[in-house]
């Protein structure tokens, strides 16, 4: 019997499994079964909290398609809420410092990486404005914030057919590990509007790492200040970053219910 907590960050929803007391085996097929919104519990990502020898906990993230992700910003805030207080948590993407103190949890998401082989992309290229285009989406900035993101700045995010273009870009061979696809509009230097097609999941209400990658890209290009508010369909996140330092993301984490399922 699988015991879980159902949680979300701005509508990006999760099945959180606390495996710190007893191990729980999750692989791709089981993650897909859990995420299935008709035959399973239903969620964007599955989050497994495990014991760690080198940190307060180790966390694994699985997308709805069963693929494992190196990082998940909204889920990290949910983990911070469950663990409570201050915690250092290791993920595939690195070591995150989580804080559940204050009105909304904050997570230090580590420092962004920009080199072509850190994103990764398939060949050396200028990651600040990649020499590629998919119809009107052109010259994205590529950023690794633990996971891979392509950030497109556009005049109107709502005018982009992200449900059609997202999967094409996600699976383009220029991204050997696939990519998350962000389309952003700079409303002013303090506020960015963002929609995200997530690698392995599709359109979501919010994407924490997407907000981080987009804020970093905007600040690095002088289009935004720090802190900057990122407005996603599901709500707002506040991102702080200074070049050379870590990214700090603050926003809500919502507990919905706990349950058990024979999955
Ligand atoms: N789809 C992402 C993982 C979840 C990211 C998102 N839910 C977040 O809040 O950061 C990836 O494959 O890299």
């Amino acid at each position: 019997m699988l015991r879980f907590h159902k949680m979300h960050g701005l509508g990006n929803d999760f099945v959180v499994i606390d495996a710190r007391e007893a191990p729980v085996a999750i692989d791709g097929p089981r993650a897909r079964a859990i995420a299935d919104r008709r035959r399973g519990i239903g969620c964007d990502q599955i989050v497994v909290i495990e014991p760690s020898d080198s940190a307060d906990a180790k966390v694994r993230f699985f997308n709805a398609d069963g693929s494992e992700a190196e990082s998940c910003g909204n889920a990290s805030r949910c983990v911070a809420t469950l663990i409570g207080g201050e915690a250092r948590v290791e993920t595939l993407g690195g070591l995150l410092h989580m804080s559940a103190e204050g009105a909304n949890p904050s997570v230090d998401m580590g420092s962004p990486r920009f080199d072509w082989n850190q994103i990764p992309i398939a060949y050396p290229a200028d990651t600040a404005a990649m020499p590629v285009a998919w119809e009107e989406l052109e010259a994205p900035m590529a950023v690794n914030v633990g996971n891979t993101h392509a950030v497109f700045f556009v005049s109107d995010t709502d005018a982009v057919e992200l449900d059609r273009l997202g999967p094409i870009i996600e699976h383009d061979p220029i991204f050997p590990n696939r990519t998350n696809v962000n389309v952003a509009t700079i409303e002013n230097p303090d506020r960015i509007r963002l929609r995200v097609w997530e690698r392995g999941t599709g359109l979501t209400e919010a994407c924490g790492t997407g907000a981080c990658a987009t804020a970093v890209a905007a600040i690095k290009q002088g289009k935004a200040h720090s802190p900057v508010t990122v407005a996603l369909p599901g709500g707002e996140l506040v991102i702080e970053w200074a070049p050379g330092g870590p990214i700090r993301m603050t926003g809500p984490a919502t507990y919905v219910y706990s349950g058990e399922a024979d999955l």
Side-chain angles (χ1 to χ4, degrees):
M1 189 59 76
L2 180 73
R3 297 179 189 286
F4 64 91
H5 304 298
K6 191 72 175 36
M7 303 183 78
H8 70 86
L10 302 177
N12 179 203
D13 68 329
F14 310 109
V15 166
V16 183
I17 298 160
D18 192 342
R20 288 179 289 176
E21 302 303 325
V24 176
I26 299 287
D27 58 9
R30 193 177 189 194
R32 277 196 300 278
I34 293 167
D36 189 313
R37 294 191 186 278
R38 288 186 173 79
R39 295 174 176 79
I41 301 167
C43 61
D44 288 333
Q45 278 90 28
I46 294 90
V47 184
V48 187
I49 308 173
E50 300 175 335
S52 163
D53 298 331
S54 54
D56 298 299
K58 175 181 179 184
V59 178
R60 300 174 72 195
F61 308 107
F62 293 85
N63 287 310
D65 72 353
S67 61
E68 189 161 358
E70 308 88 342
S71 191
C72 180
N74 286 319
S76 296
R77 296 196 316 279
C78 291
V79 169
T81 301
L82 281 182
I83 288 181
E86 299 281 338
R88 291 178 330 119
V89 173
E90 63 176 314
T91 72
L92 281 182
L95 191 66
L96 305 181
H97 294 255
M98 301 183 169
S99 170
E101 275 131 23
N104 282 331
S106 284
V107 179
D108 167 345
M109 295 294 290
S111 296
R113 290 172 289 170
F114 305 101
D115 291 350
W116 69 276
N117 53 1
Q118 295 175 320
I119 300 302
I121 57 177
Y123 52 78
D126 176 9
T127 57
M130 292 174 61
V132 289
W134 294 269
E135 300 178 21
E136 78 273 20
L137 294 183
E138 59 186 12
M141 180 163 185
V143 187
N144 184 293
V145 291
N147 55 359
T148 303
H149 285 269
V151 180
F152 296 88
F153 289 109
V154 299
S155 56
D156 178 3
T157 57
D158 294 335
V160 176
E161 291 179 49
L162 192 53
D163 55 338
R164 179 174 64 82
L165 290 170
I168 294 168
I169 299 167
E170 173 192 357
H171 292 274
D172 192 290
I174 196 171
F175 299 107
N177 296 347
R178 299 188 283 164
T179 188
N180 297 283
V181 184
N182 301 267
V183 291
T185 296
I186 306 283
E187 292 190 337
N188 61 59
D190 301 311
R191 185 180 172 82
I192 302 171
R193 208 150 26 91
L194 176 62
R195 292 174 63 218
V196 187
W197 173 272
E198 286 200 29
R199 176 179 64 172
T201 292
L203 289 174
T204 58
E205 286 286 290
C207 179
T209 50
C212 291
T214 300
V216 163
I219 293 165
K220 196 168 170 66
Q221 296 184 16
K223 296 175 172 146
H225 301 155
S226 175
V228 60
T229 296
V230 179
L232 295 127
E236 297 181 351
L237 294 172
V238 176
I239 311 296
E240 298 164 79
W241 179 69
I247 307 163
R248 188 163 189 77
M249 167 189 56
T250 303
T254 306
Y255 169 84
V256 184
Y257 70 91
S258 297
E260 53 185 40
D262 190 5
L263 283 169

